[in-house]
Amino acid sequence: YSSAVQKFSQTLQSFQFDFIGDTLTDDEINIAESFKEFAELLHEVELERSMMVQNASDLLIKPLENFRKEQIGFTKERKKKFEKDGEKFYSMLDRHLHLSSKKKESQLQEADLQVDKERHNFFESSLEYVYQIQEVQESKKFSIVEPVLAFLHSLFTYNNLTVELTQDFLPYKQQLQLSLQNTRNHFSSTREELEDLKKRMKEAPLTCKLPGQPTIEGYLYTQEKWALGISWVKYYCQYEKEAKTLRMTPTDQKPGAKQGTLDLTLKSCVRRKTDSIDKRFCFDIETNERSGTITLQALSEANRRLWMEAMDGKEPIYHSPITKQEEMELNEVGFKFVRKCINAVETKGITTEGVYRTVGSNIQVQKLLNAFFDPKCPGDVDLQSGDWDIKTITSSLKFYLRNLSEPVMTYKLHKELVLAAKSENLDYRLGAIHALVYKLPDKNREMLELLIQHLVNVCEHSRENLMSPSNMGVIFGPTLMRAQEDTVAAMMNIKFQNIVVEILIEHFGKIYSGPPEDTSAPPVPPPRVAARRHKPITISKRPLRERPVFFGASVEENADRLSQTPNGGVEAPRPLLRSRVPA
């Protein structure tokens, strides 16, 4: 058993976590360094209890095996389903594209329905597979560390020789548990946003271009004429609207073939009439590099519309109306609503356990919002009456803030705020956010101050309501900040949005005491001998208490611990090593 623990210690020392994103939060840094702390700790521990073998099995090995079987095994199943559905969809699509347009309309419609059904299944399988990979990577942060943490705690509990080592370990354990809980909260918040994003993507699976990006890309079939007839070749095409450049890469590149990627400049795009060709979903383009027209076949009618829209096709393009929830504005009625909600919460619900975390009824929330924002008598609602409970009021406030046409902290400053939260330098992190707050429009800054002051008041009652600044950051990060484009990359920055709100709550007095001296740019941190940065939490190493002579080191050994530096000074004594108990 002792040999196994030593090997385990070496494994922990060399283990590296994979993190998604370009920057780690402070809590993730603690988690990333935790295994090294565990490794150093295990190196000092004398393992002599046979019962710990059973504890190791119950607390460590089985949870890790369950994680591997349930999470990673489930991901492999998703992969198999994705590959199977992909093969099925593309084989059906190839058969479908060879259908003659001369067939009966009913047969064509039935074929279209089958392809749409398979496309939906394949799209859903790919979404589920990608989402499952992301969930495994994110949940690994705490699902792997926690069993090890439980195993270590059990080890010290049952080993009477490590009492003092356990006393050193407990503060670190509490801090690491807090980091794990914060990371778990960030994960839960991000997962909810990703679920919403996945749902929206399922509702509109044919979108081929990102919002705000002029490029459209995807598969097209090209008609190519040969001496012995006509063939259709599959290409992966990328079109840049501003430069009018079309890049076509053949997907079935045969060995020895001379044909490679084509870079063309678009001159015109015209929809191909159905009765003029024996294929569906076709359109013609003219380019500077090739004489004559090039006939392309899209994957569906909707896909053809997207390509023609991007290429400024000559035929008119019709869009189906998009139903969108009416957006709320940051106006006088909105300020009145927020003030009334805050007053109601601070009057009758500030000590309620889980305030703002507990969700109210959707029906009641909509009823309250419809009544308050009624154009005939806006704001004519008494939130102090018994008609509205605290859950409904807090959920309505969050709903209003989330559905503003632009978030309170604006799209313009979103990227800068996230970058500030990612900084390793704690002084710069606070100073940059301080400066950016005063770049907000006046009404946005006024609303933010009103809300943060309220959250500070709520957190002052954390003993009763169990809501800390970190918890409030998880709830109000996605509420006060959001990226302009819904992408998975933007979702991965939600944890840094939460950190911004947490900093605003913890440093409210400093930030709102007045603007920094220069708000044109985030302040440069003052010069230091060493910049004040976040350091990973460590297990304290303090000298042991006095023991009988046979437990401690000799006087000569202790004297050797004081070594001279190259400059002639004396280093501080190194922590005493725990000595082995004589047999």
Side-chain angles (χ1 to χ4, degrees):
Y1 177 67
S2 178
S3 175
V5 171
Q6 292 299 325
K7 290 179 181 178
F8 180 53
S9 174
Q10 294 170 5
T11 303
L12 295 182
Q13 187 71 40
S14 60
F15 188 87
Q16 295 291 332
F17 279 101
D18 291 328
F19 288 88
I20 295 177
D22 55 355
T23 311
L24 305 184
T25 64
D26 294 346
D27 293 315
E28 287 174 335
I29 292 173
N30 292 339
I31 292 173
E33 295 295 321
S34 62
F35 275 7
K36 292 182 180 178
E37 292 294 317
F38 296 159
E40 293 176 6
L41 191 62
L42 284 171
H43 185 68
E44 301 177 12
V45 175
E46 298 295 332
L47 305 174
E48 298 180 1
R49 297 256 179 176
S50 60
M51 68 172 60
M52 287 305 300
V53 176
Q54 183 61 41
N55 285 334
S57 175
D58 295 340
L59 300 178
L60 176 67
I61 297 173
K62 288 181 180 178
L64 293 181
E65 287 181 344
N66 289 339
F67 179 84
R68 185 184 63 196
K69 293 175 183 176
E70 296 172 4
Q71 297 293 329
I72 299 177
F74 185 62
T75 306
K76 290 179 179 178
E77 293 176 6
R78 289 285 188 197
K79 180 182 180 183
K80 291 179 182 177
K81 186 176 185 300
F82 162 74
E83 292 173 344
K84 181 179 177 182
D85 289 348
E87 182 179 354
K88 186 176 180 182
F89 166 64
Y90 281 113
S91 63
M92 175 174 284
L93 183 63
D94 286 336
R95 293 196 304 271
H96 181 65
L97 293 174
H98 286 83
L99 285 178
S100 172
S101 59
K102 308 255 193 275
K103 286 185 176 291
K104 293 181 179 179
E105 186 64 25
S106 60
Q107 292 177 325
L108 293 176
Q109 289 179 356
E110 182 179 357
D112 287 348
L113 288 174
Q114 290 179 348
V115 171
D116 286 341
K117 182 179 178 181
E118 288 302 325
R119 180 186 290 112
H120 180 78
N121 290 339
F122 172 60
F123 192 82
E124 186 167 336
S125 296
S126 60
L127 276 178
E128 294 291 348
Y129 176 43
V130 173
Y131 176 73
Q132 183 63 26
I133 292 175
Q134 184 270 340
E135 180 159 332
V136 169
Q137 291 286 6
E138 286 294 284
S139 63
K140 188 163 55 176
K141 297 172 189 174
F142 44 83
S143 296
I144 293 181
V145 176
E146 284 179 333
V148 181
L149 193 61
F151 164 68
L152 288 173
H153 184 63
S154 175
L155 174 70
F156 302 139
T157 303
Y158 286 100
N159 195 334
N160 293 328
L161 302 178
T162 59
V163 173
E164 291 193 355
L165 190 58
T166 306
Q167 291 174 353
D168 292 343
F169 174 74
L170 286 176
Y172 174 82
K173 172 179 174 284
Q174 293 170 354
Q175 292 178 72
L176 184 57
Q177 282 180 324
L178 183 61
S179 291
L180 290 167
Q181 187 58 47
N182 290 340
T183 305
R184 186 191 294 274
N185 291 340
H186 292 321
F187 168 75
S188 300
S189 174
T190 305
R191 184 167 60 179
E192 291 173 5
E193 296 292 330
L194 285 171
E195 288 283 0
D196 291 340
L197 175 60
K198 188 172 70 169
K199 183 178 178 182
R200 292 195 298 274
M201 291 174 72
K202 285 182 178 179
E203 291 171 356
L206 293 176
T207 302
C208 296
K209 54 183 180 179
L210 293 173
Q213 296 290 332
T215 303
I216 182 172
E217 52 187 307
Y219 291 106
L220 291 175
Y221 287 79
T222 304
Q223 184 188 64
E224 298 194 356
K225 298 178 180 179
W226 306 94
L228 300 177
I230 296 174
S231 66
W232 290 85
V233 182
K234 187 177 182 181
Y235 285 85
Y236 188 79
C237 302
Q238 297 169 294
Y239 180 68
E240 177 67 34
K241 188 171 184 178
E242 291 183 1
K244 291 191 173 183
T245 56
L246 177 65
R247 168 164 286 196
M248 301 175 63
T249 306
T251 57
D252 299 326
Q253 191 78 357
K254 297 181 180 179
K258 296 181 180 180
Q259 190 175 17
T261 301
L262 303 175
D263 289 308
L264 307 174
T265 306
L266 190 73
K267 288 170 60 178
S268 66
C269 172
V270 181
R271 185 178 72 83
R272 188 71 177 261
K273 292 184 178 180
T274 306
D275 56 4
S276 67
I277 191 170
D278 192 31
K279 294 284 184 182
R280 308 174 67 204
F281 320 133
C282 294
F283 59 99
D284 293 337
I285 63 171
E286 292 183 355
T287 64
N288 294 331
E289 290 78 10
R290 283 191 172 188
S291 59
T293 61
I294 302 174
T295 301
L296 301 175
Q297 183 185 27
L299 303 182
S300 66
E301 182 61 37
N303 186 241
R304 176 170 64 176
R305 282 202 302 268
L306 288 172
W307 280 99
M308 291 191 63
E309 179 185 5
M311 294 180 172
D312 295 323
K314 288 185 178 179
E315 293 231 340
I317 301 167
Y318 300 97
H319 295 282
S320 60
I322 300 174
T323 58
K324 187 175 181 182
Q325 188 174 16
E326 185 179 353
E327 294 174 330
M328 298 183 173
E329 299 297 331
L330 199 63
N331 52 22
E332 184 179 345
V333 179
F335 270 92
K336 185 177 181 181
F337 175 69
V338 171
R339 288 192 176 97
K340 279 198 169 187
C341 288
I342 289 174
N343 187 38
V345 172
E346 295 190 353
T347 302
K348 61 180 184 178
I350 198 167
T351 58
T352 303
E353 183 176 331
V355 62
Y356 282 111
R357 185 172 57 219
T358 309
V359 182
S361 164
N362 285 333
I363 297 175
Q364 289 297 315
V365 169
Q366 290 299 326
K367 183 179 178 182
L368 172 55
L369 291 170
N370 292 338
F372 200 99
F373 291 96
D374 185 356
K376 297 179 182 178
C377 50
D380 188 18
V381 177
D382 181 14
L383 299 183
Q384 299 288 351
S385 68
D387 297 337
W388 313 106
D389 59 18
I390 291 298
K391 292 186 295 184
T392 301
I393 295 172
T394 55
S395 297
S396 300
L397 176 59
K398 290 186 291 183
F399 184 91
Y400 164 75
L401 294 171
R402 271 192 172 233
N403 286 274
L404 289 171
S405 57
E406 185 175 22
V408 173
M409 301 187 76
T410 71
Y411 292 130
K412 182 179 178 181
L413 296 180
H414 178 84
K415 186 176 180 180
E416 294 179 70
L417 287 163
V418 169
L419 286 176
K422 290 181 176 182
S423 173
E424 294 180 2
N425 189 303
L426 302 181
D427 294 325
Y428 179 82
R429 191 185 296 180
L430 173 58
I433 292 174
H434 186 180
L436 290 169
V437 164
Y438 285 88
K439 284 188 174 182
L440 289 169
D442 292 341
K443 62 179 182 179
N444 293 65
R445 188 168 66 250
E446 181 185 352
M447 175 62 77
L448 184 64
E449 181 178 6
L450 185 67
L451 290 166
I452 300 300
Q453 175 67 73
H454 169 60
L455 299 183
V456 170
N457 295 338
V458 173
C459 291
E460 287 176 352
H461 296 78
S462 59
R463 287 183 177 274
E464 295 90 359
N465 58 37
L466 305 181
M467 298 303 292
S468 64
S470 176
N471 294 336
M472 283 301 186
V474 170
I475 293 169
F476 280 89
T479 302
L480 300 178
M481 293 178 64
R482 66 177 183 271
Q484 194 161 7
E485 296 176 357
D486 281 341
T487 63
V488 176
M491 300 299 166
M492 299 313 300
N493 281 330
I494 288 177
K495 55 193 175 187
F496 295 104
Q497 297 172 196
N498 303 345
I499 289 172
V500 171
V501 175
E502 186 178 346
I503 289 173
L504 290 174
I505 296 172
E506 291 179 339
H507 301 278
F508 174 79
K510 175 179 175 59
I511 292 174
Y512 280 98
S513 61
E517 295 180 1
D518 180 14
T519 57
S520 61
V524 177
R528 294 174 175 268
V529 177
R532 188 171 69 93
R533 298 177 181 274
H534 171 78
K535 296 180 180 179
I537 56 175
T538 58
I539 301 172
S540 60
K541 303 288 194 302
R542 57 184 172 79
L544 293 175
R545 298 173 186 170
E546 289 188 12
R547 292 177 176 272
V549 176
F550 62 88
F551 279 105
S554 65
V555 176
E556 291 79 2
E557 288 174 334
N558 287 334
D560 290 339
R561 297 180 187 277
L562 296 176
S563 58
Q564 291 193 343
T565 63
N567 297 328
V570 178
E571 290 183 346
R574 300 187 183 92
L576 294 174
L577 296 176
R578 295 171 174 82
S579 56
R580 186 180 179 86
V581 178

